């Protein structure tokens, strides 16, 4: 393989190389430094006279004397069953002191799109034991459901609680966790690792760590390595894989950095115009394939800059993922854990995974009613601040109280409190029963007669 | 899409530069929008710019590994779709490759370098001639028909083919490629033809639409109707209900043919359509809804150039069915992803960016697209229509951005989705204060005739109450609701009923998912009956608390969930009347 020493320009993470043989778009590149170390990159633009390479590590040490080798293939990830239990760098190299991974297969990390015709509808209810998720934003197997959070909020604990408690009722199938850290601190990473170790999850996990002090551009490939591994575990080995990607905000920053280095016309707030497409290439790698046993369920975590949900990172994410769980600073300040604000939260696949066959027949309507009542009560808080409680009608006062109850009883639960879906739904009914029954306009009379505590008791008394 | 074998159309050109989905070639004798085969894997692409020697091509497949020096072959043809029996129930990617065929050819993931014709060329269809030897046919004439699903597929003389006298025509079972008819000029016709997607299909005349597309969605049919042949935009932030609304229209609207384009959106949503639709029945005819449907699915992670093409593929198919005399409705979810595909390609071409990086021709492309909607007299003298409903996904939910704004300048109906409503699970989260329909006046007659002479008055009444509520809410925000004059407290209650009973409609409730016009009418009438009596007793001295406290009206929302609602509605109305009578006599 020919080695070139024709770098003409280095700008940020980009190398400009001249006078090469024809080089393929997207090809993997090795860059040999004078000290014998080798860095990796990828071809972003190729033509007769100039090749642009994006380096996945810091360009420190790269100079005009560095040797460039084009490897004639796109980036591949060696995968194998023995990856379970291993800790790898954000670039896919073992960093746990263990042996090199003996690959059973090498897979292109870009990942091809799943043909929509080959997909199976995700509809298996996953019980996370968290009421605000199970009851009102239900997760199903094969879904991509991000956590939108803010700096300093307990999103990691929520993710861990979900990873720990998640189960498909009545199923004992093999599952695995793929955890990809992008630019998080050592401390945060330790928090995850310790929890994985404590619960024994590590044996069934593959961990990719790109920490805050690791090269930013490496973050571009970290989630792709993780998802390639996940696809192998899910679709080759038939496991149910939960993928946690954190923090996608750092990923997007790296993307912006590369865009800037290429002097591209920036899109909104300086992020590349193709960020939607790029993120879709990550988030869409979740789901279930007809006739295959496994599944990929994705939990990306991102911190919203300035807690702003309209910032391009959460915004584009929300347009791709199947809903979002929004962590609220206000609830956190009130001391409520998990501080999930259900109002802007959403699970788009909820309807597929609930109801008679999956959870309980009243699930959808209870959830709708809880939302409506909480939203109404929550609105009134603003009003009370201006006009005082006295100016409220009787009806308004009840909704105001409902909102408080909802937060203190339905939202609030313990870090290890694992509520069954039936407990969650009954809790919902208990709260709804504080409102006059005729205010429950979202629920059919039938269901009210069967599940409303007032009638439940009446029915019992009759027996 | 299949591109016919090339018969030595000049020499092969050479690739010079590859940068993602846009590549540059030289030595290609090409015209704008010619379809070319790129590289040794013959990836499909389209010429989008010619600059000196350089031919710039957008490639519909992933270009990884392609090198400078590889060949480029021009097919000399434009990007075209195959039109003929076999389209219905199909699911295609953005360039009309059937996704089911792609699964057979390359497995569960979309690989590249595989071509697949849009129609099944092996399958035989029973062709029934509708003209006979010696008849004169012209471009667009109907020469025969095929029972495709429960839909009859008319076979047309392609609009770009000279007519003439029919020399021979045969009935029987044929594949789409076989000749079924010969004209005296020697022209042979089969059941299919190709049409370039970027060229609107010609019509005899465009007419003003006067009939609503009935969707079974109360806020749409009732307050902001779209006409058959009309255009509507449905902008909203993520999770506000663009997709569900469009799917509701695809399911329940009374179009004869539905073309649904998933343009740069989620894979699982297309799967949902694929799994759900085959089980649905037309509420009027009982026929399976899937049989009238064509799906185009170019999801967000599929190649961006094919996403750009997908809306053209979709609208061309829609126009084709229109040309048979059908009322077609087309949903594009989301036109913003299409615009972004344009932006992405444009920026790779290093074109001068317009607003927010979108190309300067964004507005022109959008209006050209929506102009392909309309009620028309077809070349064969029939009436047909294409209604276009485009979702818009504004960044941050901010409607002032270029795609929303340029769309609003063109379309006649605006369904403004509102995150505040969706967050409280008020669905459809269409804001009744900002939304509008410019078809109201032209559709009045129809509602008058087909629903009730009272309808238009009832509609205006409901809108007035909602407007009034908005004003009153501003006051309430300052002083609280108890401080309002008594009559206005009643108005607030009536408005609540309109919102919660009439406007809110749960797409996932087996009954409420579709509401026919007569039920819509009965519902508003019932609320109006409440209002009339409430104002009457109020002026007779009954307090708002007493009025709000009446019990019978609390059963009204239940009407939504009951299929044969009439007896129950009657009961409620009677109970309401006696309750008000009691109040009046005790006042
Ligand atoms: N477009 C609307 N959709 C739904 N409800 C509405 C709408 N407009 C008014 N309302 C009703 O009026 C109430 C107040 O309206 P809205 O939430 O728009 O108030 P606002 O003054 O904008 O609130 P904020 O103080 O949060 O800005 C709502 O609780 C709702 O019941
Ligand atoms: N008419 C409706 N009835 C009930 N739920 C709805 C309705 N419209 C939207 N929803 C809810 O809102 C969610 C998001 O809607 P969707 O159409 O996917 O939003 P968008 O396409 O605007 O991002 C859905 O998953 C569903 O839960
Ligand atoms: Mg959508
Ligand atoms: Mg017609």
């Amino acid at each position: 393989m020919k080695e070139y020493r024709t770098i003409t320009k280095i700008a940020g993470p980009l190398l400009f190389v001249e006078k090469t043989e024809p080089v393929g778009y997207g090809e993997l590149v090795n860059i040999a430094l004078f000290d014998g170390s080798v860095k990796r990159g990828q071809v972003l633009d190729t033509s007769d006279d100039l090749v642009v390479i994006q380096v996945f590590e810091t360009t420190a040490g790269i100079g005009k004397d560095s040797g460039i080798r084009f490897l004639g293939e796109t980036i591949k990830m060696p995968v194998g069953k023995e990856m379970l239990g291993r800790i790898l760098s954000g670039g896919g190299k073992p960093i746990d002191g263990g042996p090199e991974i003996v690959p059973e297969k090498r897979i292109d990390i870009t990942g091809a799109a799943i043909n929509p015709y080959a997909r199976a509808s995700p509809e298996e209810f996953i019980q996370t034991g968290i009421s605000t998720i199970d009851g009102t934003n239900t997760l199903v197997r094969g879904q991509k459901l991000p956590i939108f959070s803010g700096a300093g909020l307990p999103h990691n604990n929520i993710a861990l609680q979900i990873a720990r408690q998640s189960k498909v009722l009545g199923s004992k199938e093999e599952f695995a966790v793929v955890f990809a850290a992008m630019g998080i601190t050592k401390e945060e990473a330790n928090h995850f690792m310790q929890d994985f170790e404590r619960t024994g999850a590590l044996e069934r996990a593959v961990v990719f760590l790109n920490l805050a002090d690791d090269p930013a551009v490496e973050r571009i490939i970290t989630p792709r390595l993780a998802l390639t591994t996940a696809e192998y575990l899910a679709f080759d080995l038939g496991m149910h894989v939960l993928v946690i990607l954190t923090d996608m905000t750092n990923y997007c920053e790296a993307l912006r950095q590369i865009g800037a280095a290429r002097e591209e016309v920036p899109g909104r707030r300086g992020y590349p115009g193709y960020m939607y497409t790029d993120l879709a290439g990550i988030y869409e790698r979740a789901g279930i394939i007809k006739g295959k046993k496994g599944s990929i369920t994705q939990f990306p975590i991102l911190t919203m800059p300035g807690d702003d949900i309209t910032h391009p990172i959460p915004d584009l994410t929300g347009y791709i993922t199947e809903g979002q769980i929004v962590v609220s600073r206000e609830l956190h300040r009130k001391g409520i854990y998990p501080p999930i604000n259900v109002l802007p939260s959403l699970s788009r696949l909820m309807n597929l995974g609930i109801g008679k066959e999956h959870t309980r027949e009243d699930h959808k309507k209870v959830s709708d009613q809880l939302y409506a009542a909480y939203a109404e009560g929550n609105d009134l808080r603003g009003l009370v601040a201006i006009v005082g409680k006295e100016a409220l009608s009787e009806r308004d006062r009840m909704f105001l109280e409902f909102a408080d109850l909802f937060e203190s009883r339905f939202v609030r639960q313990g870090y290890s409190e694992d509520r069954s879906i039936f407990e969650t739904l009954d809790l919902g009914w208990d709260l709804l029963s504080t409102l006059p029954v005729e205010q429950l306009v979202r629920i059919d009379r039938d269901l009210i007669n069967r599940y409303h505590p007032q009638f439940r008791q009446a029915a019992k008394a009759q027996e | 899409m299949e591109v016919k074998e090339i018969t030595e159309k000049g020499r092969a050109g050479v690739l010079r530069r590859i940068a993602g989905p846009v590549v540059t070639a030289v030595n290609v004798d090409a015209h704008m929008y010619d379809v070319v085969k790129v590289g040794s894997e013959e990836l499909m692409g389209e010429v989008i710019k010619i600059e000196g020697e350089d031919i710039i091509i957008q490639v519909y497949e992933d270009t990884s590994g392609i090198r400078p020096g590889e060949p480029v072959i021009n097919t000399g043809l434009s990007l075209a779709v195959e039109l003929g029996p076999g389209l219905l129930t199909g699911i295609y990617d953005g360039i009309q490759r059937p996704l089911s065929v792609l699964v057979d050819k390359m497995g569960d993931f979309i690989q590249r370098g595989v071509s697949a014709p849009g129609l099944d060329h092996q399958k035989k269809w029973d062709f029934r001639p509708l003209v006979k030897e010696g008849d004169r046919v012209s471009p667009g004439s109907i020469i025969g028909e095929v029972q495709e699903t429960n839909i009859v597929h008319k076979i047309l003389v392609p609009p770009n083919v000279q007519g003439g006298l029919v020399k021979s025509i045969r009935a029987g079972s044929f594949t789409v490629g076989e000749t079924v008819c010969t004209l005296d000029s020697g022209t042979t016709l089969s059941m299919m033809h190709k049409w370039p997607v970027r060229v609107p299909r010609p019509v005899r005349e465009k007419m003003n639409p006067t009939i609503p597309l009935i969707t079974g969605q109360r806020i749409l049919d009732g307050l902001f109707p779209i006409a058959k042949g009309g255009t509507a935009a449905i902008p909203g932030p993520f999770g506000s209900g663009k997709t569900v609304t469009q799917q509701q229209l695809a399911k329940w609207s009374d179009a004869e043919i539905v073309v649904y384009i998933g343009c740069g959106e989620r894979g699982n949503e297309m799967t949902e359509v694929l799994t759900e639709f085959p089980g649905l029945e037309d509420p009027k005819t009982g026929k399976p809804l899937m049989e009238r449907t064509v799906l185009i699915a170019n999801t967000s992670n599929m190649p961006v150039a094919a996403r750009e093409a997908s809306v053209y593929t979709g609208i061309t198919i829609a126009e084709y069915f229109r040309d048979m005399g059908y009322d077609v409705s087309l949903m594009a979810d989301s036109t913003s992803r299409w615009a972004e595909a344009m932006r992405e390609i444009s920026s790779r071409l290093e074109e001068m960016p317009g607003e927010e990086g979108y190309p300067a021709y964004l507005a022109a492309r959008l209006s050209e697209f929506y102009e392909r909607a309309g009620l028309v007299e077809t070349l064969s003298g029939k009436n047909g229509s294409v209604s276009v409903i485009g979702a818009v996904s504004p960044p941050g939910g901010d409607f002032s951005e270029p795609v929303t704004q340029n769309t609003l300048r063109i379309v006649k109906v605006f369904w403004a989705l509102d995150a505040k409503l969706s967050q409280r699970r008020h669905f459809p989260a269409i804001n009744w204060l900002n939304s509008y329909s410019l078809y109201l006046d032209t559709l009045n007659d129809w509602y008058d005739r087909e629903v009730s002479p009272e309808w238009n008055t009832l509609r205006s009444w409901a809108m007035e109450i909602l407007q009034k509520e908005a004003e009153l809410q501003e006051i309430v925000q300052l002083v609280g609701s108890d401080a309002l004059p008594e009559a206005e407290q009643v108005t607030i209650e009536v408005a609540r009923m309109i919102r919660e009973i009439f406007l809110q409609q749960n797409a996932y409730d087996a009954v409420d998912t579709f509401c026919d016009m007569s039920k819509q009418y009965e519902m508003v009438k019932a609320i109006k009956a409440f209002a009339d009596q409430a104002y009457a007793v109020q002026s007779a001295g009954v307090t708002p608390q007493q009025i709000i406290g009446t019990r019978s009206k609390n059963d009204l929302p239940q009407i939504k969930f009951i299929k044969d609602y009439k007896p129950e509605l009657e009961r409620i109305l009677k109970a309401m009347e006696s309750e008000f009578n009691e109040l009046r006599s005790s006042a």
Side-chain angles (χ1 to χ4, degrees), chain A residues 115-233:
Chain A
N115 186 323
Y117 192 78
R119 282 181 184 268
S121 235
E123 55 182 27
E124 258 181 308
F125 166 64
I126 296 183
Q127 180 177 295
T128 66
I130 298 176
S131 292
T132 40
I133 297 178
D134 296 351
T136 47
N137 293 285
T138 317
L139 171 70
V140 296
R141 219 175 228 178
Q143 185 169 11
K144 38 190 184 289
L145 189 63
I147 299 179
F148 286 9
S149 189
L153 296 177
H155 41 267
N156 291 340
N157 280 345
I158 298 174
L160 280 169
Q161 188 171 2
I162 292 167
R164 202 172 51 231
Q165 297 182 169
S166 284
K167 51 181 150 305
V168 168
L169 299 179
S171 135
K172 286 206 183 68
E173 288 154 296
E174 269 201 283
F175 79 99
V177 175
V178 172
F179 177 80
M182 289 154 282
I184 65 172
T185 62
K186 182 84 185 126
E187 206 180 316
E188 280 176 290
N190 284 344
H191 186 59
F192 275 101
M193 302 307 300
Q194 278 157 12
D195 204 274
F196 286 159
E197 262 167 56
R198 187 170 61 79
T199 59
L202 195 56
E203 287 164 38
R204 288 170 289 113
V206 186
V207 175
F208 294 84
L209 290 181
N210 167 290
L211 299 182
D213 55 354
D214 289 330
V217 275
E218 188 182 79
R219 284 162 210 166
I220 299 293
I221 55 171
T222 308
R224 297 189 161 83
L225 297 174
L227 287 161
T228 305
T229 308
E231 280 166 358
Y232 170 75
L233 297 175

Side-chain angles (χ1 to χ4, degrees), chain A residues 318-319 346-349 351 364 368, chain B residues 217 236-245 248 265-266 269 333 417 422 425 427-429 505-508:
Chain A
Y319 272 124
L346 169 70
S347 164
R348 293 168 191 265
L349 302 184
N351 293 304
K364 171 73 182 148
D368 283 351
Chain B
Q217 311 303 302
F238 60 81
S240 56
K242 298 178 290 297
T243 305
V244 174
T245 307
Q248 287 296 92
E265 293 281 312
R266 302 176 184 84
E269 281 173 353
D333 185 14
L417 290 174
S422 59
R425 300 307 190 253
F427 288 118
Q505 188 172 1
N506 188 344
Y508 300 102

Side-chain angles (χ1 to χ4, degrees), chain B residues 74-269:
Chain B
N74 186 14
T75 66
L77 305 169
S78 311
L79 182 63
V81 285
E82 290 191 348
L83 301 169
L87 284 169
L88 296 171
T89 74
I91 172 165
Y92 297 105
D93 74 355
I95 49 175
Q96 208 205 8
R97 294 185 303 178
L99 290 176
S100 57
V101 175
L102 295 189
V103 169
D104 293 340
K105 285 196 173 184
M106 56 195 187
D108 298 331
F109 292 85
I110 296 195
Q111 311 294 344
R112 64 185 190 191
V114 177
S115 68
L119 297 178
D120 185 336
H121 286 243
Q122 265 73 56
K123 183 163 177 167
K124 295 205 169 195
W125 300 94
D126 278 325
F127 174 75
R128 287 190 301 272
L130 292 176
V131 294
K132 46 187 196 315
E133 280 160 34
D135 283 354
R136 176 165 293 283
V137 295
S138 49
S141 293
I142 295 170
I143 58 165
E145 62 185 23
V146 166
Q147 188 75 43
E148 185 177 349
T149 56
N150 63 58
I151 305 280
V152 175
H153 193 120
K154 313 275 183 194
I155 305 301
L156 310 174
V157 177
N160 54 356
V161 164
Q162 284 272 309
L165 298 176
V166 174
K167 195 165 139 219
S168 69
I169 186 159
R170 48 181 189 158
S173 183
F174 308 106
T175 64
V176 289
E178 286 177 87
T179 298
V180 294
C181 177
T182 313
L183 303 183
D184 58 353
S185 57
T187 305
T188 59
L189 303 174
S190 67
M191 284 186 278
M192 67 155 270
H193 66 272
K194 290 191 177 191
W195 190 264
V197 297
R198 296 187 195 276
V199 181
R201 290 170 65 89
V203 298
R204 203 175 275 172
E205 196 191 344
K206 267 204 163 182
M207 298 176 294
N208 282 337
T210 53
I211 297 176
L213 180 75
I214 294 299
T215 66
Q217 311 303 302
R218 288 186 291 269
I219 187 164
L220 306 187
D221 300 343
L223 301 189
F224 310 110
I226 175 176
K228 285 199 173 104
T231 50
I234 174 157
F238 60 81
S240 56
K242 298 178 290 297
T243 305
V244 174
T245 307
Q246 298 228 48
Q247 289 184 355
Q248 287 296 92
L249 296 191
K251 286 177 195 167
W252 309 123
S253 71
D254 64 347
E256 292 164 294
I257 303 288
V258 168
V259 179
Y260 191 96
I261 312 172
C263 174
E265 293 281 312
R266 302 176 184 84
N268 275 334
E269 281 173 353

Side-chain angles (χ1 to χ4, degrees), chain B residues 256 321-322 324-327 375-376 378 382-385:
Chain B
E256 292 164 294
F321 281 103
R322 171 204 67 192
M324 299 176 205
Y326 287 125
D327 290 317
L375 170 68
V376 306
T378 66
K382 288 177 162 278
N383 283 351
S385 68

